[in-house]
Amino acid sequence: MRGVAVAMLLASAGCRGPAPMPMPNRWRLALSPASFPELLSLQQQVKVEQAGRTVDFDAVLDITPDMVTLVGMAFSQRVFTLQYDGKSLQESRSAMLPKEVQAGDVLSDLQLALWPVEVVRAALPEGWALTDTEGNRVLSEADTVRTSISYSSTPRWSGTISLSNRQYDYRLTIRSAVQR
C-alpha cells in the first residue's frame, strides 16, 4: 500500500537519523473504489524499511464500491486516516506524521499491490508496463524495474505482500488478516 508513505512517516517519527527524502514528481495511481472486484476488510501489520531504518505499525483497510478507507496506528495512536471515494482523497493526520508522507503515495502503493492487473494497466502512463505472473507483479518504466511485488498466497490480499520500490528505495512487508 502506499504504505511507503506510511513507512516513511513512521520511520522518521520513530527513528533517529536523517529525514526521508521527498519524492518529487512521483507518479500515482488513483483508481476508483468500484474497480476493486469485492468488498474487503483487513487488519494489517506493516513493516517499512528505508535508509537502514525499520518501522512497524498496524493498519485497517476497508474497500467498498464507494470508498477506500485506510487507518494507520502507531505507538497505540491513530497516525492517519485516508478516505478515497474515486474523486477526492481525504486525509486526517497526526502531528507525528512527517510531511514527506503523502496520502496519494499510500493509496497508489495499495492499489498497485491489490487492484486487478487489467485495471492498473489501463491507468499506466505511456512507457510504463505491468507484468503479472503467479505470485509476482513488476512495474517498469522504459524497461527499468521501478517496483516489484511478491505475494505469499491467493487471493493476493491474504497472507504476506512484499513490495520493493527500487526508484525510491523502500520496502514494505504487509501481513493481512480478514476481519470478520
Side-chain angles (χ1 to χ4, degrees):
M1 43 176 86
R2 241 344 101 174
V4 168
V6 171
M8 290 174 42
L9 136 76
L10 297 174
S12 66
C15 300
R16 295 184 182 186
M21 297 299 297
M23 298 178 206
N25 303 319
R26 184 167 181 164
W27 170 81
R28 298 174 177 162
L29 284 171
L31 305 170
S32 163
S35 64
F36 191 78
E38 59 191 285
L39 297 175
L40 189 62
S41 186
L42 302 173
Q43 289 184 337
Q44 300 176 313
Q45 293 177 323
V46 181
K47 176 180 175 181
V48 180
E49 299 169 90
Q50 184 181 38
R53 294 176 283 185
T54 300
V55 176
D56 296 296
F57 65 95
D58 294 320
V60 175
L61 171 65
D62 288 307
I63 303 172
T64 69
D66 299 320
M67 185 75 63
V68 175
T69 302
L70 180 66
V71 177
M73 304 286 293
F75 316 114
S76 300
Q77 296 180 16
R78 184 181 297 223
V79 179
F80 67 88
T81 301
L82 307 178
Q83 292 184 308
Y84 180 63
D85 64 3
K87 295 179 182 155
S88 67
L89 178 59
Q90 303 298 316
E91 174 183 29
S92 171
R93 311 167 58 99
S94 163
M96 64 192 292
L97 186 64
K99 66 181 177 187
E100 291 84 7
V101 177
Q102 297 295 308
D105 295 337
V106 175
L107 178 66
S108 186
D109 279 346
L110 171 71
Q111 292 185 330
L112 178 61
L114 296 180
W115 259 241
V117 66
E118 59 277 357
V119 173
V120 175
R121 279 185 183 141
L124 294 176
E126 187 175 329
W128 289 72
L130 185 64
T131 304
D132 191 77
T133 60
E134 187 174 328
N136 295 290
R137 190 173 272 191
V138 176
L139 178 66
S140 301
E141 177 190 19
D143 297 325
T144 300
V145 173
R146 297 297 185 192
T147 303
S148 60
I149 305 168
S150 64
Y151 305 89
S152 70
S153 59
T154 303
R156 289 182 167 184
W157 47 260
S158 65
T160 300
I161 300 170
S162 296
L163 182 148
S164 178
N165 185 304
R166 296 178 187 177
Q167 184 173 12
Y168 295 108
D169 195 29
Y170 65 84
R171 181 175 174 85
L172 301 176
T173 304
I174 304 162
R175 290 181 176 79
S176 298
V178 177
Q179 289 186 305
R180 302 281 176 200

